[in-house]
Amino acid sequence: MKKRFLTSMALTGAAAFALTACSSDGGDAGSSGDASGDGGSSGDTIVVGFAQTGSESGWRSANTESMKTAFSEENGFELIFNAADNDTAAQIEAVRGFISQGVDAIVIAPIVEDGWDDVLQEAADADIPVILEDRTVSASDDLYAAWIGLDFEQEGVKAGEWAAEMYGGEETKMVVLEGTTGSAPANDRATGFDAAIEGTMIEKIDSQTGDFTRDGGKSVMEGFIQNYGVDNIDLVYAHNDDMALGAIEAIKAAGAVPGEDIKIISIDAVHDGMQALVDGEINYIVECNPLLGDLVAAAVSAVVNGEEVEAVQYVEDLAFDQAAAEAALPDRKY
Ligand code: AHR
C-alpha cells in the first residue's frame, strides 16, 4: 500500500484537494515509490517526474538548473527529468510515462495552456499529485495541487507602462516578438502590455511568434525589416531576452543601431539580456525570475507528506533600466 496525502487550495479558496495514493511501506507519510514501474519504494526518497518545456532560452537553462539543484538526492529526491523540446504532444506523453512509472509526484512546466485536462485527470485517477511550475494551464485547478510561478500579465504591464512613459507621447511604430503561441507567458505578456499602452501613440504594426528562441527572434525580425524597412520600425517589444538578442543581430545586419535607431524592451533579465541593456542595445527589461526550484521542491514535499500547501505562489519580479542593470549585473545569479 502506498501512503495517503492531502493538500488544500489555501490561496485560491478552492475546495480542498485530496488525493490518496498507494505506498509500498505501510502508509507512512514521507516515503515513496521508485520509478521502476513496480510501485516499489526507495526509503524516504520522493520520486518526482519533471516535465520541462525544453531548452529554448537562457531563462529555461536557469530554471532547469534551479530545479535539478533543489530536487537533489541530498535533499531527499530522485528526479526523473524530461525536456520536451517545445513539443506539447511529447510533453504530455512524458507525463503519461511518469504516471505509468508510479512516481510520487509530477511537476510540469506546461508549454501551452490548453490541452491538459485529460492527462491531469489521468494523474488524479492514479492518485499522483501534480504541481505546476512557471506556466499555467486552462484546466480546472482541482486537477493540480499547486502552481508556482510569475505574474506574466504584470510583467507585460510593467514593460508597457515604461514604453508608454518613454515613447507613448510621439508616433511610435512597434513590432512584437511573441513567445510560443498558446503559452501562458505569450498570452499574458501581450494582454498586459497592450492594456498599458492603450491610448498612447504607440502603434503595433506587426506581431509574430519567435518561439522564445534567439534564432526565432532573429528570423522574425529579419522579416519585419524586409516588410516595413528598418527606418519604419521604432520599437521592438520582445516577450523574452533571447528573442531580443536575436533581433539585435538582425537590426545590426540591416545597418541600424539597436537601442538607438530601434528601441528594444524585453522580459527575463537573464545575464546576456542584462549585458545588452548595460551596453545600450536593449532599453528596458522586466525580470522573470527562473529560480523556482526551492519553492517547488518545498511544495512537492508538503503535498507528498500530507501537509497544506499554498495553491498559488507568485514570485516577485524586478525591472531594470540601464543604470539599474549596471548595478545588478555583478551579483546576478543567472
Ligand atoms: O515561461 C517563462 C518563459 O519561458 C521565459 O520568459 C522564456 O524565456 C522561456 O522560454
Side-chain angles (χ1 to χ4, degrees):
M1 282 225 304
K2 281 195 190 168
K3 62 187 162 287
R4 180 179 179 81
F5 51 89
L6 172 77
T7 178
S8 71
M9 299 291 190
L11 284 190
T12 56
F17 175 83
L19 290 170
T20 53
C22 307
S23 155
S24 54
D25 62 353
D28 59 318
S31 56
S32 72
D34 65 15
S36 60
D38 60 2
S41 166
S42 45
D44 283 341
T45 300
I46 299 174
V47 181
V48 178
F50 174 35
Q52 179 60 288
T53 61
S55 51
E56 70 277 6
S57 64
W59 189 99
R60 191 59 56 191
S61 304
N63 179 250
T64 293
E65 199 184 318
S66 168
M67 293 288 285
K68 286 185 173 174
T69 303
F71 284 93
S72 64
E73 274 179 38
E74 304 82 72
N75 290 345
F77 296 99
E78 180 186 332
L79 184 68
I80 308 171
F81 178 78
N82 180 279
D85 201 18
N86 231 21
D87 177 337
T88 303
Q91 191 177 38
I92 289 172
E93 276 320 298
V95 173
R96 289 212 165 94
F98 296 149
I99 295 170
S100 61
Q101 283 176 294
V103 298
D104 294 316
I106 295 172
V107 178
I108 309 172
I111 297 168
V112 292
E113 291 194 89
D114 294 341
W116 288 96
D117 305 67
D118 289 350
V119 74
L120 290 178
Q121 186 61 57
E122 288 163 34
D125 291 345
D127 297 333
I128 299 174
V130 172
I131 280 93
L132 304 181
E133 73 112 21
D134 166 27
R135 300 183 186 178
T136 48
V137 295
S138 57
S140 164
D141 59 12
D142 292 344
L143 293 174
Y144 53 92
W147 167 82
I148 295 153
L150 303 311
D151 188 335
F152 298 131
E153 190 167 331
Q154 264 311 304
E155 291 170 353
V157 168
K158 281 187 200 171
E161 284 176 345
W162 194 82
E165 189 185 328
M166 300 300 290
Y167 315 120
E170 61 195 75
E171 197 176 292
T172 302
K173 297 205 181 303
M174 175 182 73
V175 292
V176 179
L177 298 170
E178 300 166 15
T180 300
T181 303
S183 70
N187 292 340
D188 297 349
R189 287 172 186 167
T191 304
F193 191 96
D194 287 351
I197 62 162
E198 208 177 307
T200 72
M201 292 177 75
I202 299 171
E203 180 197 356
K204 191 190 325 182
I205 58 169
D206 213 332
S207 181
Q208 285 177 34
T209 182
D211 239 348
F212 282 129
T213 67
R214 203 174 286 211
D215 284 352
K218 185 177 178 207
S219 68
V220 173
M221 191 66 206
E222 284 167 351
F224 288 154
I225 290 171
Q226 204 170 4
N227 288 348
Y228 302 101
V230 75
D231 295 335
N232 296 315
I233 299 170
D234 304 309
L235 174 64
V236 175
Y237 169 39
H239 285 182
N240 80 344
D241 286 349
D242 279 80
M243 292 190 295
L245 292 163
I248 287 171
E249 290 178 37
I251 292 166
K252 283 181 175 170
V257 181
E260 287 183 26
D261 299 329
I262 298 181
K263 313 289 188 200
I264 302 178
I265 297 173
S266 76
I267 294 178
D268 273 357
V270 295
H271 187 274
D272 289 358
M274 292 287 273
Q275 186 62 59
L277 178 54
V278 168
D279 294 343
E281 296 185 328
I282 293 180
N283 303 85
Y284 193 67
I285 301 182
V286 176
E287 184 180 52
C288 179
N289 191 334
L291 306 181
L292 307 176
D294 287 342
L295 280 176
V296 179
V300 167
S301 290
V303 170
V304 170
N305 286 310
E307 297 157 13
E308 283 203 354
V309 63
E310 288 184 355
V312 175
Q313 298 181 39
Y314 282 107
V315 174
E316 204 191 330
D317 288 320
L318 304 173
F320 302 91
D321 60 13
Q322 192 177 33
E326 259 165 19
L329 195 52
D331 300 324
R332 205 77 188 138
K333 293 200 180 70
Y334 54 91

